[in-house]
Amino acid sequence: MARKVTGYILSVLLLVLLLTYEAPDRSSWTTWSLPLAGTVIAIDPGHGGKDGGAVSADGDVVEKEVTLAISLYLRDFLIQSGAHVIMTREDDRDLASEEAERLRRRKSEDIRNRVKFVNEHTPDFLVSVHVNSIPSPRWKGAQTFYHPAYKKSGDMAYLIQDEIKRVLENTDRLPSKTNDVFLIREVECPAVLVEVGFVSNEAEAKRLRSVEYQKAMANAIYQGILRHYAGENPPATS
């Protein structure tokens, strides 16, 4: 009889505990585990389709392929942290119409359609990914550019460039302010353009083609974005 009473009492106590137990706030779980939850980020892989962009001397490294690969890795990193990601392209194409056959017209229509696409989706931030190329083969290393219309653009450019320097250890450049890049000038949100390396440098062109370098670059950009949304205030733009 005593055992039955004891069992009954324990059952009642367990029921009371279950009814009065207050679960932790789920929002705190989301904030802790998904630091970019609620953030909308646009990624623009430069070039695409008929516009291949810069090409290495041996023809093996094409800008449109490198920018898309890095952008897709970056997209995956951001999604895993809770961000909603939109991309101007996710395959080998541009945003020009089929009627825009002449290259000069096609490139103009493509870039204007990228601006339109981004503005229609009203993201919190845009990252455009490109590859650099100049006649001299001696230049190497990535650099981040921003338009000064938004303070957030400069802040993010600093943090992304800082992470590129830390992760890849192949540049000592600082982010650069520019008024000449149409895309990041015309979009209605903070934006940066990351030149991920020089395809005109033979050694760097080989790295740009490697999956390891592409993932490392995507991770550096991602880490810079995380630092911004963690509340870090860059000294260079404060």
Side-chain angles (χ1 to χ4, degrees):
M1 181 68 176
R3 288 183 179 177
K4 289 183 178 180
V5 172
T6 303
Y8 174 76
I9 293 172
L10 289 174
S11 298
V12 171
L13 288 173
L14 180 59
L15 179 60
V16 170
L17 285 172
L18 289 173
L19 291 174
T20 59
Y21 175 73
E22 184 176 347
D25 183 2
R26 281 180 173 270
S27 64
S28 66
W29 297 355
T30 301
T31 302
W32 180 80
S33 60
L34 299 175
L36 298 178
T39 304
V40 181
I41 298 177
I43 304 175
D44 171 55
H47 305 275
K50 294 183 178 181
D51 179 13
V55 182
S56 63
D58 60 10
D60 288 344
V61 186
V62 182
E63 181 174 7
K64 68 175 183 178
E65 298 171 358
V66 173
T67 61
L68 181 59
I70 292 172
S71 295
L72 291 174
Y73 290 130
L74 175 59
R75 176 200 64 185
D76 292 346
F77 290 146
L78 292 170
I79 289 174
Q80 288 170 12
S81 285
H84 175 68
V85 178
I86 60 171
M87 298 186 66
T88 57
R89 68 182 183 97
E90 295 184 89
D91 50 26
D92 184 17
R93 63 184 180 88
D94 60 14
L95 272 67
S97 65
E98 290 301 319
E99 292 75 28
E101 287 303 321
R102 287 186 300 173
L103 184 59
R104 186 170 297 178
R105 176 186 167 189
R106 189 174 193 94
K107 292 184 74 168
S108 174
E109 184 174 311
D110 169 58
I111 195 66
R112 291 181 184 279
N113 282 341
R114 290 176 195 247
V115 170
K116 181 181 177 183
F117 176 86
V118 171
N119 289 340
E120 286 176 347
H121 286 80
T122 62
D124 298 302
F125 186 73
L126 165 70
V127 179
S128 185
V129 181
H130 284 259
V131 169
N132 222 333
S133 180
I134 58 174
S136 172
R138 71 186 184 93
W139 294 98
K140 63 179 181 178
Q143 187 164 19
T144 307
F145 295 86
Y146 68 97
H147 187 268
Y150 296 92
K151 181 181 182 298
K152 182 176 176 180
S153 298
D155 291 349
M156 194 75 84
Y158 177 93
L159 294 171
I160 289 174
Q161 186 67 25
D162 196 51
E163 282 298 309
I164 289 172
K165 290 159 64 176
R166 183 185 69 83
V167 172
L168 298 171
E169 300 181 333
N170 66 351
T171 181
D172 58 0
R173 293 187 179 91
L174 294 173
S176 180
K177 179 169 60 178
T178 179
N179 294 307
D180 299 330
V181 180
F182 183 85
L183 178 65
I184 61 174
R185 187 184 73 217
E186 296 298 322
V187 293
E188 298 168 356
C189 67
V192 300
L193 183 146
V194 184
E195 296 276 7
V196 297
F198 283 84
V199 76
S200 47
N201 178 283
E202 183 179 356
E204 191 153 81
K206 291 180 180 178
R207 287 193 290 272
L208 286 166
R209 186 173 53 196
S210 74
V211 171
E212 291 78 12
Y213 186 94
Q214 293 167 359
K215 286 184 177 179
M217 179 59 68
N219 180 54
I221 298 171
Y222 165 68
Q223 293 296 334
I225 293 172
L226 280 183
R227 286 171 62 183
H228 172 80
Y229 283 100
E232 185 170 341
N233 188 30
T237 56
S238 58

